[in-house]
Amino acid sequence: MAGLVTTFGAGAMTNSIGEIRDADVLFVIGSNTTEAHPIIAMEMKRAVHRGATLIVADPRSINLTSFASRHLKLRPGTDVWLLNAMAHVICAEGLVDADFIETNTEGFDAVRETVARYTPEEAEKVTGVPADDIRWAARAYATTPKAGIYYTLGITEHTHGTDNVYGLANLVLMTGHLGKPSAGMNPLRGQNNVQGANDAGATPIFYPGYQRVDDPEVAARYEKSWGVPLPREPGLNLNVMMKETGRSIRGMFVMGEDIVLSEPNAGALEERMNGLEFLVIQEIFLNETARFADVILPGACFAEKDGVFTNSERRVQRVRKAVEPPGQAKADWEAVLALANAVAEKRGLTPWRYDGPAAIYAEMAKDADKFAGISHDRVDREGGLQWPCTSPEHPGTRFLHEGGVLRGKGLFTAIEYRPSVELADPEYPLVLSTGRTLYHYNAATQTRRGVGLAEKQPVAFCEIHPADARARSIEQGDLVEVETRRGKVACRAMVSRQVRRGCIWMPLHFAEARANLLTVDDGDIVTQTAEYKVCAAKVTRVAEQPAERDAFPGSFYAVAGPEQGTIH
Amino acid sequence: MSSQNPKRVPEEASDPSLSVTLDGETVDARPGETILELAERHGKDIPTLCHDPRLAPAGACRSCLVEVEGSRRLIPSCATPVADGQVVTTANDRIARHQKVLLALYLADQPDFAARGETPGGAQACELHAMADAVGAPTDWPKMEPLRVGREDRNPYVQFFPEACILCARCTRYCAEIESVSAISLAGRGAETTIATADDVSLLDSSCELCGGCIDVCPTGAMTEKMPVTAGRRGHVEPEKVVRTTCNYCGVGCQMDLHVEPAANDGRGRIERVVSPEAGTTTNDGNLCVKGRFAYDFVDHEDRLTTPLIRAEDGSLREASWDEALARTVEGLMGVHERHGADALAFVSSSRCTMEENYLVQKMARAVFGTNNVHQCAAT
Ligand code: SF4
Ligand code: SF4
Ligand code: FES
């Protein structure tokens, strides 16, 4: 996110979901789209049926790779090498858009000099992707006007996540694939309202609408608007907050998030949680974090409250109350309002008054230009509006940067490859990545309670390449232990060519086999987003095997794919 | 660029250049469009069963037949492209007669429970019967013995009533062309033709991703949602309340209609099913995935928190009133504030919650407690 703001001046999908269908090249990197964003994947597949070229870069063979013209099966954590090598080809073969670079960007020379050292042949050694495939992908991307980039957590959840984003942005800027339909640079948001929460200022550095807290003019405006003095120093990022838990952080409020299940290196976090003097959580189900809470407030789910969510393509859409919350549960906005006012009273501040979510939205829009033209009324009438939408007459924005980069000049950033913080070694010889599956959702407190979803994938599993399994006498469905320097969990082995040799993969969703007990909590230097995608691990078969092997249905895509890219 | 989401007509195809006579009127037609698309653009109401704007035309059900000058037979408008100088009639006695006979035949092949409107397929369950009504098809033709037999499938979501299937192949084409998994296809021959997975395995063991698109496109309710059936709520009822909202799972933001029974659950209301909006009207183009369409039963789960809880001296959780829980929270957070300062507090808000809720949390952290230590849980 931060990477995108730096480069383009806005942290969101540049283009719209509806434009995917008309794209001619789709470069999908670090996104298991069919499982994480099924309807976007559906549009990608429709584009392929129409004749579009799909290029997938991912360490695993994912469902989407079966629709791809090429699958760049890179080693986890080597994205910078791949992207710089693609840039190398584009520069070396004169495929850059010189006019666009001249008028719309700055910093190209430094990038050209850097990528000159990243030849496809060297890249092949590091990434495992054949040099010819890198050349082919670079040419296909650079020479097609309607070429869009799509990425997710596979790009950002690394200690070099921001570098990966810069690497992609460099490709976009040098080819000028920006400010037109079906092109651009498109981060697909994991949760329903990641975009909206960012937009609303739930970040330590921005007020609503990406206005910096340390900009005196902005702070002065909010002080006037809110009628109180405001802190001018940026606050702590989530990953830092978690590391400071029980140290400098002594009291915590958590709304709608199971931090103990979802945050990396959860074992260490649990220990620090005990150092909190006070923890209040607001939730719809008891979760792992609840074990540490002093107060638990019952919240309402999406069907029980009004408001808006903003999707990945910046479209503000309504959430509408259909049923009442159970018992005394309250919509989270009502609970936060009650809490804020109880504290305000104690601190002698003026209490807040809102007669509902529409009024809250109106207050936010008033102080943030990007949303100034959006209101509940208008969204109700028009069925969804894409920001920027700066006045009640503004129709909203389908794709960004039309007629010039928002930031003024798109910023090239030269990046160098840095290995992930923890690499495989003799003691922990495998590389563990974690991710999501179609049938469950993050902490799975919702989906695992559904009658049906749990049926398709009832038990935790770990994908392992047949050769690695054989070397450890592991068979399909065996109970295995996955261990890293931080912890170990037991789960079933899924022997599958989906993963590269030397790599294993686990879903994040299972409370009884918490992948996040294993992951490292080192963060990206800019965003502090943790490295969920790479750490060193070992896998052993558990001696005692439980009887009911049949209960293990495997994954949907357990079917072995063709063996490729197994250079190790 | 407008952010509105109109029906998507490919931009290149939008300049009209052909001339067609439609019911006696000369109109401009776009190269590449079908007679059906042209007629719909001009407000004609042609009945269709196997047609879906997202799918390549199949011309399978014969309900959309029109008269074209120079052709002796009636021809399917959904599968016939416009041509310059074409003379098309969409309604006359001959067409009406054809529609009546066709629909009477379809009805005669429908099982009794479907005739009583008891396939639990939601709004679309009645598409066939509604159309029969509209064209005035006779309903008293002798029943044919439906040959297609059902098979139990242990998947939790999709129920198939083969007797009610008219073989329009909307479901199988959707499965191949849109969801692109080709889990189901037409199987068998002649009168025994039906819809099945390869080797007749359960959908759970096929390439099916349980998106439920087959249910959504089925015009007869032969493909229908299993959960209401399992819960004993068989029988199609017009939903009492329909609420358009946004899916709460991923960042695609699919629009969906919650069909609600307001009196259920002691007046709290219950979501009876989730239906996707019409194709072409929202970002999701009439599609939903397995989570959006089916993962709503958590809403009524018995594990839902229904009252505030407070940690007691002995470490157990006990129920409390909102007033008591809020007082304890103020005391807890302000205690930390007084002892260690504002920056000893951290506020984690949620990408699952609404924008308004996130706004209030950051405002509370900044304006009430005086710290910028606020972040949503998924910063990516
Ligand atoms: S199940 Fe429904 S959609 Fe599928 S062929 Fe039969 S009638 Fe058509
Ligand atoms: S229906 Fe599926 S693809 Fe659409 S928003 Fe919900 S989870 Fe995402
Ligand atoms: S709708 Fe045209 S043949 Fe079925």
Side-chain angles (χ1 to χ4, degrees):
Chain A
M1 221 274 304
L4 264 185
V5 179
T6 316
T7 317
F8 297 141
M13 247 176 107
T14 56
N15 289 59
S16 289
I17 294 166
E19 295 168 28
I20 295 173
R21 206 179 299 171
D22 303 318
D24 294 323
V25 163
L26 301 140
F27 181 40
V28 178
I29 179 164
S31 160
N32 188 358
T33 326
T34 37
E35 304 215 26
H37 301 91
I39 297 299
I40 286 181
M42 203 182 245
E43 293 295 343
M44 291 174 174
K45 293 184 274 190
R46 289 171 87 172
V48 170
H49 293 325
R50 219 200 72 245
T53 301
L54 172 67
I55 307 166
V56 175
D58 201 288
R60 291 167 76 218
S61 298
I62 49 179
N63 178 269
L64 208 55
T65 51
S66 56
F67 296 86
S69 302
R70 294 277 160 113
H71 175 200
L72 315 180
K73 199 169 184 176
L74 74 172
R75 294 201 178 97
T78 61
D79 312 73
V80 165
W81 256 102
L82 175 70
L83 299 174
N84 274 356
M86 284 176 70
H88 174 100
V89 175
I90 293 170
C91 293
E93 301 189 0
L95 305 175
V96 297
D97 182 338
D99 287 348
F100 184 88
I101 294 173
E102 174 65 32
T103 43
N104 288 301
T105 70
E106 55 192 77
F108 176 57
D109 289 344
V111 169
R112 194 180 43 205
E113 274 159 38
T114 304
V115 300
R117 284 181 280 113
Y118 287 75
T119 63
E121 277 65 28
E122 283 303 307
E124 173 170 339
K125 289 183 198 149
V126 182
T127 61
V129 180
D132 280 348
D133 283 0
I134 296 175
R135 286 208 173 82
W136 180 89
R139 287 176 196 141
Y141 173 74
T143 57
T144 310
K146 284 187 174 181
I149 292 177
Y150 304 86
Y151 68 94
T152 336
L153 304 167
I155 277 295
T156 47
E157 281 179 358
H158 287 283
T159 42
H160 46 262
T162 303
D163 288 348
N164 290 346
V165 173
Y166 288 146
L168 288 170
N170 291 343
L171 293 178
V172 175
L173 292 174
M174 70 177 60
T175 55
H177 291 338
L178 193 67
K180 51 190 177 195
S182 306
M185 167 121 164
N186 301 290
L188 310 178
R189 303 300 188 174
Q191 283 94 332
N192 50 323
N193 199 32
V194 176
Q195 189 68 53
N198 271 325
D199 296 351
T203 100
I205 40 173
F206 296 122
Y207 286 110
Y210 306 95
Q211 310 179 75
R212 290 195 68 100
V213 296
D214 50 7
D215 178 335
E217 241 172 74
V218 171
R221 175 143 37 92
Y222 276 95
E223 288 185 344
K224 187 155 170 267
S225 214
W226 294 349
V228 286
L230 292 167
R232 301 287 176 105
E233 286 293 303
L236 305 182
N237 245 298
L238 184 69
N239 200 43
V240 180
M241 277 181 198
M242 293 303 129
K243 284 196 184 154
E244 286 299 318
T245 296
R247 298 173 183 158
S248 74
I249 296 293
R250 297 303 184 87
M252 199 184 280
F253 165 96
V254 181
M255 173 173 83
E257 157 77 332
D258 196 355
I259 48 174
V260 168
L261 187 67
S262 312
E263 292 305 311
N265 194 2
L269 174 61
E270 282 196 23
E271 248 157 64
R272 294 194 302 269
M273 292 289 286
N274 290 319
L276 284 179
E277 291 165 29
F278 187 78
L279 171 67
V280 54
I281 68 169
Q282 213 162 283
E283 257 304 336
I284 59 174
F285 289 110
L286 281 184
N287 58 18
E288 298 290 312
T289 310
R291 290 189 280 126
F292 303 89
D294 298 288
V295 175
I296 300 168
L297 303 173
C301 76
F302 81 112
E304 298 158 350
K305 57 191 178 190
D306 283 297
V308 300
F309 291 155
T310 306
N311 75 354
S312 291
E313 52 170 4
R314 301 167 274 104
R315 189 185 297 275
V316 179
Q317 304 185 114
R318 280 297 312 275
V319 180
R320 294 189 182 87
K321 183 170 175 171
V323 295
E324 293 295 326
Q328 295 169 50
K330 271 190 198 188
D332 298 274
W333 68 266
E334 290 179 84
V336 175
L337 185 57
L339 175 59
N341 280 343
V343 179
E345 191 186 307
K346 194 156 174 195
R347 304 200 67 195
L349 305 168
T350 327
W352 303 346
R353 284 190 217 296
Y354 303 100
D355 55 15
I360 302 172
Y361 194 93
E363 177 180 300
M364 181 181 72
K366 175 173 68 68
D367 291 318
D369 288 349
K370 284 189 171 65
F371 324 122
I374 304 178
S375 64
H376 278 214
D377 265 359
R378 234 190 120 182
V379 175
D380 283 342
R381 268 199 318 275
E382 299 177 26
L385 279 164
Q386 286 173 284
W387 65 256
C389 176
T390 49
S391 72
E393 295 75 39
H394 193 290
T397 308
R398 186 156 70 92
F399 55 89
L400 300 176
H401 315 294
E402 193 180 13
V405 180
L406 286 182
R407 185 185 167 271
K409 296 264 184 197
L411 190 62
F412 277 102
T413 315
I415 43 161
E416 299 281 1
Y417 171 70
R418 288 176 294 121
S420 299
V421 284
E422 194 179 86
L423 298 173
D425 57 28
E427 200 185 341
Y428 295 96
L430 300 171
V431 176
L432 166 71
S433 305
T434 61
R436 290 158 180 79
T437 80
L438 174 59
Y439 298 98
H440 296 298
Y441 184 81
N442 288 7
T445 44
Q446 287 181 19
T447 46
R448 288 199 86 197
R449 280 184 174 82
V451 284
L453 292 172
E455 207 145 307
K456 193 91 190 184
Q457 278 176 356
V459 293
F461 61 90
C462 164
E463 289 179 6
I464 181 165
H465 190 275
D468 294 323
R470 223 174 303 125
R472 293 163 178 78
S473 307
I474 292 168
E475 284 180 31
Q476 176 75 340
D478 276 357
L479 196 64
V480 295
E481 227 162 45
V482 182
E483 187 176 346
T484 69
R485 291 196 169 76
R486 289 151 299 278
K488 64 179 167 192
V489 303
C491 61
R492 300 298 187 108
M494 161 118 54
V495 180
S496 159
R497 287 186 203 282
Q498 280 204 91
V499 282
R500 292 180 58 98
R501 196 165 168 182
C503 298
I504 55 175
W505 185 89
M506 281 183 80
L508 289 165
H509 322 283
F510 296 92
E512 67 275 17
R514 289 157 51 193
N516 278 329
L517 288 170
L518 308 173
T519 45
V520 290
D521 52 5
D522 289 276
D524 176 81
I525 36 172
V526 179
T527 62
Q528 300 294 340
T529 302
E531 185 145 51
Y532 291 87
K533 297 296 179 195
V534 178
C535 71
K538 65 180 172 196
V539 177
T540 42
R541 184 174 184 275
V542 174
E544 286 288 300
Q545 289 291 323
E548 50 359 311
R549 275 254 197 108
D550 301 347
F552 180 67
S555 129
F556 237 11
Y557 310 122
V559 202
E563 183 134 11
Q564 45 176 310
T566 43
I567 320 149
H568 186 60
Chain B
M1 265 294 161
S2 160
S3 76
Q4 267 149 72
N5 212 330
K7 290 235 180 198
R8 298 196 185 89
V9 179
E11 274 152 47
E12 305 87 282
S14 56
D15 68 307
S17 56
L18 307 177
S19 164
V20 171
T21 309
L22 182 67
D23 290 337
E25 199 185 326
T26 308
V27 296
D28 285 336
R30 298 167 186 168
E33 74 181 334
T34 62
I35 296 178
L36 178 66
E37 282 161 346
L38 172 76
E40 281 184 342
R41 269 200 303 119
H42 288 87
K44 308 282 175 198
D45 199 8
I46 297 180
T48 62
L49 286 171
C50 70
H51 169 74
D52 184 299
R54 292 164 291 186
L55 304 175
C61 76
R62 311 201 61 75
S63 60
C64 68
L65 302 196
V66 295
E67 219 170 62
V68 173
E69 231 176 64
S71 160
R72 222 155 43 79
R73 300 202 205 173
L74 298 177
I75 60 160
S77 60
C78 71
T80 311
V82 291
D84 204 28
Q86 217 168 29
V87 180
V88 178
T89 307
T90 67
N92 62 21
D93 284 353
R94 181 179 173 209
I95 294 168
R97 251 191 336 271
H98 158 76
Q99 288 171 345
K100 283 198 177 104
V101 172
L102 180 78
L103 283 153
L105 280 169
Y106 275 135
L107 289 189
D109 200 25
Q110 285 287 299
D112 283 343
F113 67 82
R116 290 195 304 272
E118 283 178 10
T119 43
Q124 85 278 19
C126 293
E127 218 176 289
L128 177 67
H129 286 89
M131 189 181 301
D133 266 2
V135 304
T139 54
D140 53 355
W141 288 23
K143 283 274 162 205
M144 295 185 251
E145 201 49 49
L147 282 172
R148 301 174 286 272
V149 277
R151 178 182 40 80
E152 272 310 301
D153 186 328
R154 59 176 222 287
N155 90 76
Y157 296 138
V158 183
Q159 171 90 46
F160 179 44
F161 293 109
E163 316 88 291
C165 171
I166 59 165
L167 300 173
C168 70
R170 240 156 108 172
C171 56
T172 56
R173 287 180 295 136
Y174 182 90
C175 194
E177 294 173 33
I178 305 296
E179 183 64 7
S180 305
V181 295
S182 300
I184 50 172
S185 56
L186 290 168
R189 282 156 188 257
E192 279 167 42
T193 311
T194 188
I195 306 296
T197 56
D199 298 330
D200 240 352
V201 296
S202 162
L203 285 179
L204 287 184
D205 303 319
S206 74
S207 56
C208 170
E209 294 183 347
L210 295 170
C211 72
C214 50
I215 295 173
D216 194 66
V217 296
C218 180
T220 69
M223 283 288 171
T224 191
E225 191 168 335
K226 201 182 232 178
M227 286 192 286
V229 182
T230 319
R233 297 200 293 277
R234 194 176 161 138
H236 165 67
V237 266
E238 275 307 311
E240 221 159 291
K241 187 166 135 191
V242 177
V243 179
R244 171 66 56 90
T245 193
T246 305
C247 177
N248 85 129
Y249 288 105
C250 85
V252 178
C254 293
Q255 296 296 287
M256 49 174 52
D257 288 334
L258 305 181
H259 287 204
V260 178
E261 171 64 55
N265 288 337
D266 301 323
R268 244 191 81 212
R270 179 177 60 215
I271 302 172
E272 293 282 319
R273 62 170 61 85
V274 175
V275 175
S276 41
E278 195 192 331
T281 57
T282 65
T283 301
N284 45 315
D285 197 20
N287 308 305
L288 287 173
C289 80
V290 58
K291 281 171 279 198
R293 197 183 301 278
F294 296 122
Y296 57 84
D297 42 347
F298 78 90
V299 174
D300 287 336
H301 198 277
E302 59 187 18
D303 291 351
R304 283 289 301 272
L305 290 168
T306 56
T307 158
L309 300 170
I310 285 186
R311 180 86 50 199
E313 290 289 321
D314 66 355
S316 67
L317 288 168
R318 68 167 172 84
E319 296 190 352
S321 70
W322 272 96
D323 282 348
E324 193 187 357
L326 283 177
R328 176 80 179 271
T329 305
V330 173
E331 185 192 307
L333 294 176
M334 284 310 294
V336 171
H337 193 278
E338 278 149 26
R339 287 189 297 278
H340 309 286
D343 288 335
L345 291 170
F347 295 79
V348 180
S349 80
S350 177
S351 55
R352 310 296 316 282
C353 290
T354 65
M355 196 154 175
E356 292 81 359
E357 289 163 345
N358 279 284
Y359 176 80
L360 286 191
V361 171
Q362 61 90 34
K363 184 176 174 186
M364 172 169 77
R366 290 174 166 136
V368 178
F369 288 98
T371 179
N372 280 319
N373 289 344
V374 54
H375 212 173
Q376 61 149 324
C377 60
T380 32

